Every structure is written in C-alpha cells, then in structure tokens.
Amino acid sequence: MLEKTARRAGTRGLGPGRIRALRERHWRVRSKAERVELTTLGMWHMTPWLLSVSWLLTPLIGGLRHRPLPLALGALLLVVGAAQCAAADRLTRPALDQYLGRAPLPGGALRTPVVLLGTALALIVALTALDGVESWTARLAVGAVLMAFGQPYTLLVPMAVYLRRAGALTVVLVAVLGLARPDDGAGVLGVGLTVAFAVVFALGAGRTGAWTLSVLWEAERAREVQARLAVAEERLRFGRDLHDVLGRNLSVISLKSELAVQLARRGRAEAAAEQMAEVQHIAQESQREVREVVRGYREADLTAELAGARGVLGAAGIECSVRAEDVVLPVPVQSALAWVVREAATNVLRHGDARHCAVELVTGKDHVVLTVENDGAGESAASGGSGLAGLRERLAAVGGTLTAGPAGEGRFRLDARVPMDGVSA
C-alpha cells in the first residue's frame, strides 16, 4: 500500500523517512469515513491473530497431551490456524468492498478459508477422539477457528443465511464431538456454548462494524452532494444576476436600435442619432453592471448569508453556532462580509472534516470583525487558494483585511476585519 502511494505521487526512489512523511500527510487529508475504515480494517486484521494466540496457541501449550501423535496434530493445528488468520486478513478487504457495493467478491475467494476451516475442525475432532487434548482446550480451539473464519464471512451473506448456516454447523459440531468423546457431556455442552459465542462475536465484530462504515460513507456522500448543491446554487444565483442585468437592457437596446433604423429610413437622421446615443449609453451601463456581477460587488444580504450558512452546515451534520451583534452596515461592507461567510461555509463543507463551526460578528472600537472557526482543518483548507484571494480583493475595496490559518490542533480560523471609519458612512 505504501509503495503504491509513493508511485502515485511520483516518489519512486525516495528514502523510508520521506515515504513515511508522505504516508502521514496522506492520513491527515483523509476524510472521517476513510480514517474510520482504515482503523476498523486494522482491528479486523489483528483480531484473528489475537484470538489464535489467546484461544489456540496458549491453551494448546497447557492442554495438549505429551504424546507423539497429539503433539504432531497440535503442531499441524497451529500451522493451519496461522494460515487461517492470513487467509482471513486477505479476505477482509474484498468482503468489505462487496458489503459496501464497491466491487463483487472475486471468484474462488472463499475456497481457501473454507478448506482451512474444515481442516482445523477435523484436527480438533481428531485430537478429541484420541484424547490428545483437554476438553476446555478443544472448546477454545473451536471458538478460535470459527471466529477467524466468521468475521469476514458475515459480510458476504445475508444475516438470516449466516445464522441458519451457523446453527447447522453448531448442531454438526456438537454431534461429532459428542461421538468423539461420549463420556464428556459437560464438554459437549460447552462446545455448543462456545460455538454460539463465536457466532455472535463474529457477527458483532464484522457485521456491526461494516454497517457503521456504510452509515459513515452515506453521510460522507451526503456532505459531498450538499457541497455540490451549494456550488450549483451559487451558479444559479450568478446566472439570475446576469439575466437581471442583461435581459432588460438587451430588450431596450433591441427596441431602440429598431426605432433608429425606422427613423433613418424616414430621413430623420437627427432623431435616429439620438436613439443610437441612448443605445450606446445603455450598452456601456450594461457592461459596467456585468463587471460588478463578475467581481461580486453587487449587494448581498449578510443576515441571509449567516442564516444560510447555519442551515447548510447543519444539514451536512456540522454543528454551527452564529453570534452576530445587531449593527447597521453600509451596503458595500455588508456585501463583502456576506461573501466571506459564503466562501467560508463552502470551504468547511468541501475541505477538512469539521464537526463544529462557529461564526461570530463583533463590533469593536476600531473594527468590525467577522470570525469563522471550525475544527476540521485539513491541508487543503490551510493551503488557501483563489477563493481566499478573491475575498481579500473584496475586503480591500472597503479597507478591510483577511487572515486565515491554523488556530490550534485540527482547527482553522478565518478573520475578516473592516475599519470602523469605513463602516460609519
């Protein structure tokens, strides 16, 4: 995985330290769902090995009869158990991909885990029949091999199918081990309880974790859709503004041009020239208004933007608190600060992984200060871009300034300051 990351970044030939640094950066820019998935996969990879050590290796050391055949079977069981853990680790990622609908399970992926499970159970039955192992050791070994197989298997079949097959396997194991050691009724009952625990444990560890991941990915996709909708809404607003500016003026230009043509044909050159002068004036006014729209200098409602930011972020699952003092601002200042709120809310949605966002508008002695701070700062958020550059241009038009950057571990803060002498119009 690390080598693939290095190749994708064009870092072939870098030393281990540089590659490790690349991996750390890659982790920081991952989304919440990606981090949770990697953590869950790591736990799933470790669980079979931990169970094999605690439920298979350690009990066999103390509960195996010191005779040649039981020792050979016990050693073979440990080898099969280790191979089963490796097969479970290899199956975990494809099983999760199928559960989440990313990719179907490759053909034959279950063949090796099923064969290893059958071999491990056969060895346990053989040890039990030969009285080569303590009863409690056999029960723990059964639980270890079943949980190693069951954890990824729960992701591959419907829950009802899993429970039916687990029930059938429990009956078969209890019957076979009962026949192998008919004088140990308590041990056979213990096998049934151990198998039931292994089935429930595998279901809880595998299926529940995968279901949690599916919910997180749905929330992640919802946030992405919300961000795209915010961008699309802004584009629609921009289109409506252009339509408002150009639609009426173009209609007037068309009518006056037609009138000028008719006047010129009738020999009224002076009246036609007056109409064309008006056309020229309207065209120049339209050009000026279009420039204002493109540069974002048209009026924007700060109150509406604050309410909109709280609503959009709240819909994306981000807790947003807004505290704004009641102050009357000139239209240019209000418009510039409204753009700051809009751009900041969009950045919180599209960049980082925020859970909380605080927006505050405070009127000080010398400045009006707008602050937007969130706890989901990522590299992309801290790197700036054309959006922040555009905000600085808008604020500069009213004598304001913009600062943006990290504000502690995992936090990003944006401050927009407008001097009071620019406010008191």
Side-chain angles (χ1 to χ4, degrees):
M1 174 66 182
L2 186 57
E3 293 177 358
K4 291 180 179 178
T5 303
R7 286 197 297 269
R8 284 198 301 267
T11 57
R12 187 188 300 273
L14 291 181
R18 293 289 301 279
I19 295 179
R20 185 162 51 252
L22 173 63
R23 183 177 184 179
E24 291 174 356
R25 290 197 301 272
H26 190 58
W27 168 263
R28 287 198 299 268
V29 300
R30 287 181 183 271
S31 67
K32 182 189 299 182
E34 289 174 323
R35 295 176 185 177
V36 174
E37 179 174 324
L38 286 177
T39 304
T40 304
L41 285 171
M43 294 176 59
W44 283 346
H45 285 314
M46 290 189 299
T47 299
W49 296 99
L50 294 176
L51 290 173
S52 291
V53 171
S54 59
W55 282 41
L56 185 60
L57 175 61
T58 304
L60 278 178
I61 293 175
L64 196 63
R65 311 294 187 193
H66 289 190
R67 301 198 304 268
L69 185 55
L71 288 174
L73 292 177
L76 182 58
L77 178 59
L78 289 177
V79 173
V80 173
Q84 190 182 21
C85 291
D89 287 348
R90 187 175 181 181
L91 181 63
T92 297
R93 169 65 79 173
L96 179 62
D97 287 341
Q98 174 170 301
Y99 180 85
L100 296 178
R102 296 170 178 166
L105 188 71
L110 272 175
R111 187 178 300 116
T112 299
V114 169
V115 171
L116 290 173
L117 175 64
T119 304
L121 292 176
L123 290 171
I124 295 172
V125 171
L127 285 170
T128 303
L130 294 171
D131 193 23
V133 69
E134 296 286 347
S135 177
W136 62 272
T137 302
R139 293 198 298 270
L140 291 178
V142 168
V145 299
L146 285 179
M147 283 187 281
F149 174 82
Q151 182 177 274
Y153 183 70
T154 57
L155 309 181
L156 301 176
V157 295
M159 189 177 299
V161 174
Y162 172 79
L163 292 176
R164 284 200 303 269
R165 293 177 179 176
L169 181 61
T170 302
V171 173
V172 171
L173 282 176
V174 169
V176 171
L177 291 174
L179 293 174
R181 187 174 289 181
D183 57 340
D184 188 11
V188 173
L189 178 61
V191 169
L193 295 176
T194 303
V195 173
F197 174 80
V199 168
V200 174
F201 179 88
L203 186 64
R207 191 85 177 197
T208 303
W211 177 81
T212 303
L213 286 175
S214 69
V215 172
L216 282 176
W217 278 115
E218 285 295 330
E220 190 78 8
R221 285 190 288 270
R223 288 185 59 182
E224 293 175 359
V225 170
Q226 189 69 43
R228 288 197 296 269
L229 288 176
V231 174
E233 182 179 356
E234 175 59 22
R235 289 174 177 172
L236 287 175
R237 185 201 63 81
F238 184 76
R240 287 195 300 268
D241 287 349
L242 283 179
H243 179 270
D244 292 342
V245 169
L246 295 178
R248 177 182 60 83
N249 290 348
L250 288 177
S251 297
V252 174
I253 288 174
S254 176
L255 290 174
K256 286 187 172 294
S257 299
E258 184 178 355
L259 177 58
V261 170
Q262 296 295 331
L263 292 173
R265 288 175 178 174
R266 296 175 184 177
R268 301 175 60 184
E270 185 176 345
E274 291 178 358
Q275 294 296 326
M276 291 307 299
E278 291 185 16
V279 167
Q280 183 182 17
H281 174 72
I282 295 172
Q284 291 173 346
E285 185 68 18
S286 299
Q287 186 179 27
R288 183 188 63 79
E289 291 181 354
V290 168
R291 286 173 179 169
E292 289 180 357
V293 172
V294 173
R295 293 174 183 173
Y297 290 155
R298 297 193 68 189
E299 178 180 353
D301 190 348
L302 178 58
T303 303
E305 290 299 332
L306 290 171
R310 178 162 48 191
V312 169
L313 294 177
I318 302 172
E319 181 182 347
C320 181
S321 61
V322 176
R323 189 169 73 89
E325 296 183 0
D326 188 10
V327 57
V328 178
L329 302 177
V331 171
V333 175
Q334 184 181 154
S335 177
L337 293 179
W339 270 99
V340 173
V341 174
R342 182 181 301 173
E343 181 71 21
T346 302
N347 285 341
V348 171
L349 284 172
R350 300 182 64 180
H351 308 303
D353 190 22
R355 290 176 297 175
H356 305 279
C357 180
V359 182
E360 187 177 22
L361 180 67
V362 178
T363 304
K365 182 178 179 180
D366 300 321
H367 293 81
V368 173
V369 181
L370 174 68
T371 302
V372 182
E373 183 173 337
N374 70 87
D375 60 356
E379 284 195 352
S380 57
S383 62
S386 60
L388 295 182
L391 292 182
R392 289 189 174 93
E393 292 177 1
R394 293 186 176 94
L395 289 172
V398 291
T401 60
L402 179 74
T403 58
E409 184 177 357
R411 303 190 69 82
F412 188 83
R413 182 185 181 97
L414 184 148
D415 287 319
R417 285 175 166 265
V418 179
M420 284 296 293
D421 54 3
V423 175
S424 57

